[in-house]
Amino acid sequence: MSGQASQTSATLADAFGQTSQRWRAWSRRLPRGWPLLCVYLAVMGLFLFAGIFADWITPHDPTKQSLVNRLQDPVWQAEGTSEFFFGTDGLGRDILSRLIKGSQTSLLVIVTIIPGSLVLGTAIGLIAGWRRGPFDSFAMRLVEVQLAFPAFLFALLIAAMLGPSLRNVIVILILFLWASYARLVRAEVLSLREREFVLAARTIGASDIRLMTRHLLPNVVNSVVILATLNVSIVIIAEASLSFLGAGAGPETISWGKMVAEGRDLLKIRFWLTGIPGITIMIIALVGNLLGDWLRDYLDPQLRNIQ
């Protein structure tokens, strides 16, 4: 019996050792820092899910007012109930439903401002870095003037002049964020335009458009993607800040920044009215920055090879 038990133990040990070796071999093929990456992607996936399916998953109508249910406590308070998990605001509206609906506004802002500013800035940076000359001088002076202004204060001034509207916020932020893409892409193109593969393409008669789109653009994509990821937090905070100050989303639009503003008068007795949307803004902005840092480390060969 003891011999059979020893044989069984040895078999189990061998199986465990083989499994451990397979796991180590498989984990080496994964990108460095993949456990944290899974956390980042899970948070962003939850944010995307809430933003896309907000109209179907909200437990209550986020705009329905009920003075009978006003200022209900959240579920962790003594008088809280599961019906209103995060409680209700001063007009009896469910905070969880408004939080989910507000994610739709933040997602809309991200998927319009980031691509819009990316395309505009990348196009200007490509042309300026490749053609040089008067267009390059004019574009870079415009970038320098724009970056010299306090961007948020200027955006607040324009938004206040045009009136609170989500469309105005999107246009304003696009016009302010393109400059960072243009400057980055221009610097990359200036270093690439004298490389051998570009000179070879010019030798065989490639047009300027083909050179920019087929040879230069693919080499600046990594840097642009990293900058776009880092700008997610800037966009969310800028939109929430403008909405908090009353110059962002209109009165018919639910926004996390407006939720923070609506609960500030009750901060001492109902801190969760501002704390819950504020913490949500902080988490999404932080995860956006951390995901951008991870992408930078992964896509940059010099940083990727650092052990």
Side-chain angles (χ1 to χ4, degrees):
M1 291 293 293
S2 60
Q4 186 177 2
S6 301
Q7 185 178 3
T8 303
S9 300
T11 303
L12 291 174
D14 292 341
F16 179 78
Q18 293 176 1
T19 303
S20 178
Q21 290 177 358
R22 292 195 190 99
W23 165 254
R24 285 196 296 267
W26 180 75
S27 62
R28 286 194 209 97
R29 293 195 292 268
L30 293 173
R32 194 165 56 122
W34 64 268
L36 287 177
L37 175 63
C38 293
V39 176
Y40 303 154
L41 293 179
V43 174
M44 296 307 292
L46 182 62
F47 169 64
L48 291 174
F49 178 80
I52 294 172
F53 299 103
D55 294 332
W56 295 276
I57 64 176
T58 50
H60 301 278
D61 184 351
T63 61
K64 183 180 180 180
Q65 302 179 13
S66 174
L67 296 181
V68 176
N69 295 321
R70 67 187 300 268
L71 298 178
Q72 291 283 331
D73 289 339
V75 70
W76 61 82
Q77 295 290 326
E79 299 182 0
T81 62
S82 58
E83 181 182 3
F84 302 105
F85 191 84
F86 286 149
T88 59
D89 61 8
L91 296 176
R93 298 171 297 190
D94 181 45
I95 294 177
L96 176 60
S97 300
R98 292 179 65 79
L99 195 70
I100 295 173
K101 188 65 176 178
S103 66
Q104 194 174 60
T105 302
S106 297
L107 182 60
L108 175 63
V109 167
I110 291 173
V111 300
T112 52
I113 293 175
I114 297 295
S117 57
L118 185 151
V119 172
L120 179 61
T122 301
I124 293 176
L126 272 175
I127 298 173
W130 177 250
R131 298 301 298 271
R132 304 295 300 274
F135 180 81
D136 178 37
S137 300
F138 173 77
M140 290 305 103
R141 299 299 81 76
L142 186 61
V143 169
E144 291 169 0
V145 169
Q146 182 170 321
L147 294 178
F149 279 99
F152 179 76
L153 293 179
F154 201 57
L156 177 61
L157 175 63
I158 297 176
M161 292 172 58
L162 296 177
S165 169
L166 192 61
R167 181 182 61 185
N168 293 341
V169 171
I170 291 173
V171 173
I172 291 168
L173 293 181
I174 287 176
L175 294 178
F176 273 100
L177 287 179
W178 73 269
S180 58
Y181 292 97
R183 185 172 63 172
L184 173 66
V185 172
R186 174 184 178 270
E188 295 274 354
V189 171
L190 287 177
S191 65
L192 290 170
R193 67 195 311 269
E194 304 301 330
R195 299 283 292 273
E196 289 80 1
F197 69 92
V198 177
L199 296 176
R202 295 177 67 180
T203 302
I204 62 176
S207 63
D208 287 348
I209 295 178
R210 182 177 179 84
L211 283 167
M212 288 188 289
T213 57
R214 297 294 299 273
H215 299 279
L216 296 176
L217 183 59
N219 287 280
V220 302
V221 166
N222 287 352
S223 300
V224 171
V225 169
I226 294 171
L227 181 58
T229 308
L230 293 172
N231 278 342
V232 168
S233 60
I234 296 176
V235 168
I236 290 179
I237 294 175
E239 184 276 326
S241 301
L242 291 174
S243 297
F244 175 82
L245 296 172
E252 73 285 351
T253 305
I254 299 175
S255 168
W256 289 341
K258 287 175 60 179
M259 292 179 64
V260 174
E262 291 166 355
R264 59 185 171 180
D265 294 334
L266 301 172
L267 186 60
K268 291 184 178 180
I269 59 174
R270 295 288 191 276
F271 65 89
W272 51 82
L273 296 179
T274 56
I276 292 174
I279 291 173
T280 304
I281 295 171
M282 181 192 70
I283 290 175
I284 300 301
L286 178 62
V287 170
N289 270 334
L290 293 174
L291 186 58
D293 290 339
W294 185 91
L295 279 175
R296 180 191 60 192
D297 295 343
Y298 181 70
L299 295 176
D300 190 328
Q302 296 179 351
L303 296 175
R304 187 173 57 211
N305 292 331
I306 297 176
Q307 301 297 329

